[in-house]
Amino acid sequence: MRVAVHTPLPPERSGIADYSFELFEELRHHLDLVAVVRDDLVGTVRAPEGVEIAGLSAVEAGAVDCDVYQMGNNPKYHRFFFQRALERPGLLVLHDPSLADFHAEMCRSADSGVFRYEIAHDNPGLQPADPLPLVDIGPGERDLDRLEVFLARRIVEANVRTLVHSSAIAGAMRARYPGCDVATIQLPAPVVALPERPAPRLHGEGVFGVFGGIHSSK
């Protein structure tokens, strides 16, 4: 089976780029893979041996059995395949619970009329003239409530199935987008072996690294 995975790849500074690279290391043994990237990044990005890298314009409709879209909230890394994900149904892997920041940048700002109408399309309970739903994120700080503003309706409804990383978000999306196939897939976390003589630690036995954007909605 030939599968086209639309995704950023290292050395792009994206957690999804690293995730896709690790995923390819296993999937290459089971599938004929082509990693689809921005046309100008062919020859710059890296993929495991045996995984073809192709620019978006080089992968024609019908040339693959399935399109997979590794979708995140940052337009810098995901804008290049967004229109294709609306036009060629496939498997959508939605790494962020909300695409509000993606759409805000695409619409120039969260105050633009286009962004407000997109909110109304996504959530019919919110009209363009309504105040934006906000949530407290710290002392005296409020921000857009991304659990009220998913802004994922267009891309979820356009694809055959959507995978998210949280059962709670999967349930919320099924309720928001009835009739859509939304399922949960957990993110793997490799365990890194400690050196023989680790340096002293200040806070107990465990050290955790967090890579990528961490927002209150996550």
Side-chain angles (χ1 to χ4, degrees), residues 194-200:
L194 292 175
E196 291 184 7
R197 300 184 64 181

Side-chain angles (χ1 to χ4, degrees), residues 47-94:
E49 184 178 354
V51 178
E52 177 188 347
I53 297 175
L56 182 74
S57 63
V59 182
E60 301 292 337
V64 296
D65 298 301
C66 179
D67 288 287
V68 177
Y69 304 105
Q70 299 275 24
M71 185 67 192
N73 195 26
N74 190 328
K76 178 180 179 180
Y77 303 116
H78 305 280
R79 181 200 305 257
F80 79 94
F81 65 75
F82 182 71
Q83 188 64 36
R84 175 168 293 182
L86 299 180
E87 296 171 349
R88 279 170 47 174
L91 176 65
L92 172 68
V93 185
L94 194 57

Side-chain angles (χ1 to χ4, degrees), residues 54-138:
L56 182 74
S57 63
V59 182
E60 301 292 337
V64 296
D65 298 301
C66 179
D67 288 287
V68 177
Y69 304 105
Q70 299 275 24
M71 185 67 192
N73 195 26
N74 190 328
K76 178 180 179 180
Y77 303 116
H78 305 280
R79 181 200 305 257
F80 79 94
F81 65 75
F82 182 71
Q83 188 64 36
R84 175 168 293 182
L86 299 180
E87 296 171 349
R88 279 170 47 174
L91 176 65
L92 172 68
V93 185
L94 194 57
H95 289 267
D96 288 282
S98 169
L99 298 179
D101 300 284
F102 178 91
H103 284 284
E105 188 165 328
M106 295 276 279
C107 298
R108 300 284 179 95
S109 81
D111 295 320
S112 72
V114 176
F115 184 75
R116 296 300 187 100
Y117 276 101
E118 191 65 22
I119 288 178
H121 174 78
D122 183 76
N123 187 343
L126 297 172
Q127 296 305 307
D130 291 345
L132 291 176
L134 303 177
V135 64
D136 294 327
I137 60 171

Side-chain angles (χ1 to χ4, degrees), residues 136-195:
D136 294 327
I137 60 171
E141 292 185 89
R142 308 199 79 199
D143 195 10
L144 184 67
D145 186 351
R146 287 159 178 80
L147 297 183
E148 286 295 322
V149 183
F150 284 144
L151 284 181
R153 179 181 295 277
R154 291 189 193 278
I155 195 168
V156 169
E157 289 184 342
N159 282 276
V160 177
R161 166 171 275 199
T162 297
L163 298 178
V164 295
H165 302 312
S166 159
S167 56
I169 294 299
M173 284 196 167
R174 289 189 205 105
R176 181 75 58 84
Y177 312 132
C180 292
D181 185 345
V182 182
T184 306
I185 184 169
Q186 302 298 339
L187 279 171
V191 177
V192 179
L194 292 175

Side-chain angles (χ1 to χ4, degrees), residues 11-83:
E12 293 184 89
R13 296 175 63 84
S14 159
I16 296 173
D18 295 331
Y19 169 82
S20 289
F21 189 96
E22 292 186 358
L23 193 66
F24 286 157
E25 289 187 312
E26 175 62 27
L27 289 182
R28 63 182 171 161
H29 301 300
H30 308 281
L31 299 168
D32 179 11
L33 292 172
V34 53
V36 182
V37 300
R38 275 180 17 212
D39 288 347
D40 61 313
L41 293 180
V42 176
T44 301
V45 296
R46 304 189 309 272
E49 184 178 354
V51 178
E52 177 188 347
I53 297 175
L56 182 74
S57 63
V59 182
E60 301 292 337
V64 296
D65 298 301
C66 179
D67 288 287
V68 177
Y69 304 105
Q70 299 275 24
M71 185 67 192
N73 195 26
N74 190 328
K76 178 180 179 180
Y77 303 116
H78 305 280
R79 181 200 305 257
F80 79 94
F81 65 75
F82 182 71
Q83 188 64 36

